[in-house]
Structure formats: structure tokens, C-alpha cells
Amino acid sequence: MKISIIGATGFVGKALVAEALRRHHQVTAISRHSNTLPQHAHLITESGDITDVAWLTSRLKGQDVVISAFNGGWQNPNLYQDTVTGNNAILQAVQKASVKRFIVVGGAGSLKIAPNMDLIDSPDFPAEIKPGAQAMRELKNQLQTIDTLDWTYVSPAAMLEPGERTETFRLGGTELLMNGNVPAKISVEDFAVAILDEVNNAQFVRQQFTAAY
């Protein structure tokens, strides 16, 4: 399968590239610095500006799946607007390239912690990442209005950290997964496994899902 991964040199992006190559997919890694990734026979690197819609569209044509792990940069003072701009460019390029399957790596902020409350709306949500989380929630809401694209919005557990690839985790829908009274965790390696499983199984088409231990 031909898979393009946008944001391929980020925390989640690198794990996705490794997992996709492990499964013998043909991977196109897209980011400003994708040429820093280790060489692999099944890996094509494309370094450029993802907000250049024409450039990105040309790189996405002919792909079976596009996975966006784009991140506006948590330390970026213009985090909200840069995330919105990037997401809009990626969505335009996916549609212009006529790629049917689009998987977005979102945050945990849009997962529900009560019937009418998302995690991002809780008083304890970290203020410094809230602008980025808000931009990602807006993308999720936008995707829900599109019926011409087989999208999936993937949210990690509240705690996403380096760890091991165990292939042992649980899946959920739109609610934050907990371990008792404590928000659940997942390693970035197993989060990548869950996303590539979705590529193969298409269990959550036009839905949001999450994964945690």
C-alpha cells in the first residue's frame, strides 16, 4: 500500500514511518526535514512546506492513504493560527489529489470526559497547548461535515510517551479512556500500531477513536 505521512519527522510521525515500513508499505515521508530520516528501500522523502498546496498535492497524487501527524509546534507563539493554516492546506491537498482515505492524528483534547464536556474544556487542561488542541478540535468538527472523504480522527490517550511496542492496548470511541480515576497512557510505538491497524482494518471510517493501555 502507498502511504504518505505528513509531519514524518515529529514525535508521532517518526513512529508512524517506522511502523509503516515494518509492515512493508511504500512510504512517502513529508516534512520540512524528511531527508534526515534513515534511508530505507521502501521510503521516499519529500522535504518542503506543507502550506504550499500545489507542492503538497503533487506529492499526494496516487497515494492510497494519507496520514497527517502535522503539528504546529507546541512552543510556537502562533500555535493556533499556524495549526489551522497547516490543517487547511493539508485537507485541500488531500482533496485535490483525489486521495479517498485520510487519517488525522489529533490530540486527546477533543475526547469527552462528561456528556457535554471535552477534555480541552476542563479547568486543568494545560494552557500552553490549548491553542493547538482547539485548532485540532476544529479540524475534527470540519471533517464531520465532509461526506466525500473516508476520514478517521485518531486521539491518543491523555499521556503519550516513548516506550515499547507491545501490540497490547484497548480501543475506544469519543470518550477519554481511564485507568480507574487516572487518565490512561499509551506509548507512541503502540499508538502507531493502532493507527496502522486502522489503515488495514478501516474500523473507524468517518469516526473518531482513541487507544490506551
Side-chain angles (χ1 to χ4, degrees):
M1 193 178 295
K2 293 181 179 180
I3 301 175
S4 281
I5 298 172
I6 299 171
T9 54
F11 179 52
V12 176
K14 283 182 179 178
L16 289 170
V17 170
E19 183 63 28
L21 291 174
R22 183 188 184 104
R23 299 183 187 214
H24 308 293
H25 294 300
Q26 181 69 51
V27 179
T28 299
I30 299 173
S31 79
R32 289 185 184 275
H33 308 291
S34 64
N35 56 0
T36 63
L37 292 169
Q39 293 186 346
H40 190 284
H42 292 158
L43 178 65
I44 298 168
T45 58
E46 295 284 0
S47 298
D49 182 359
I50 58 94
T51 64
D52 182 340
V53 175
W55 177 84
L56 185 56
T57 300
S58 69
R59 270 67 185 175
L60 299 184
K61 285 182 177 177
Q63 298 297 292
D64 298 306
V65 182
V66 172
I67 304 174
S68 175
F70 167 71
N71 183 303
W74 294 121
Q75 308 303 318
N76 179 0
N78 201 32
L79 175 58
Y80 172 79
Q81 191 54 57
D82 286 355
T83 304
V84 169
T85 299
N87 284 339
N88 285 340
I90 292 165
L91 182 56
Q92 285 183 55
V94 168
Q95 293 174 307
K96 287 177 180 287
S98 300
V99 179
K100 186 71 172 174
R101 188 75 171 108
F102 181 41
I103 298 178
V104 173
V105 180
S110 63
L111 292 168
K112 295 200 174 300
I113 56 173
N116 295 307
M117 180 179 284
D118 295 345
L119 179 62
I120 189 178
D121 299 319
S122 66
D124 296 329
F125 194 83
E128 64 272 16
I129 65 171
K130 192 166 186 174
Q134 178 60 33
M136 293 308 302
R137 179 167 64 175
E138 289 174 9
L139 176 60
K140 186 196 80 169
N141 293 340
Q142 184 179 2
L143 289 172
Q144 290 173 332
T145 70
I146 300 173
D147 57 9
T148 56
L149 193 61
D150 288 342
W151 59 268
T152 298
Y153 187 96
V154 191
S155 293
M159 298 295 292
L160 178 64
E161 51 198 16
E164 297 180 359
R165 183 184 186 276
T166 70
E167 297 183 87
T168 303
F169 47 83
R170 55 196 165 116
L171 300 180
T174 61
E175 296 182 3
L176 183 71
L177 294 177
M178 305 287 289
N179 279 327
N181 294 324
V182 179
K185 302 179 180 181
I186 194 167
S187 72
V188 70
E189 293 83 359
D190 275 337
F191 188 47
V193 171
I195 294 169
L196 268 296
D197 283 351
E198 176 60 22
V199 168
N200 292 338
N201 302 332
Q203 184 178 352
F204 296 97
V205 176
R206 297 182 192 167
Q207 296 178 63
Q208 178 182 17
F209 82 94
T210 186
Y213 296 134

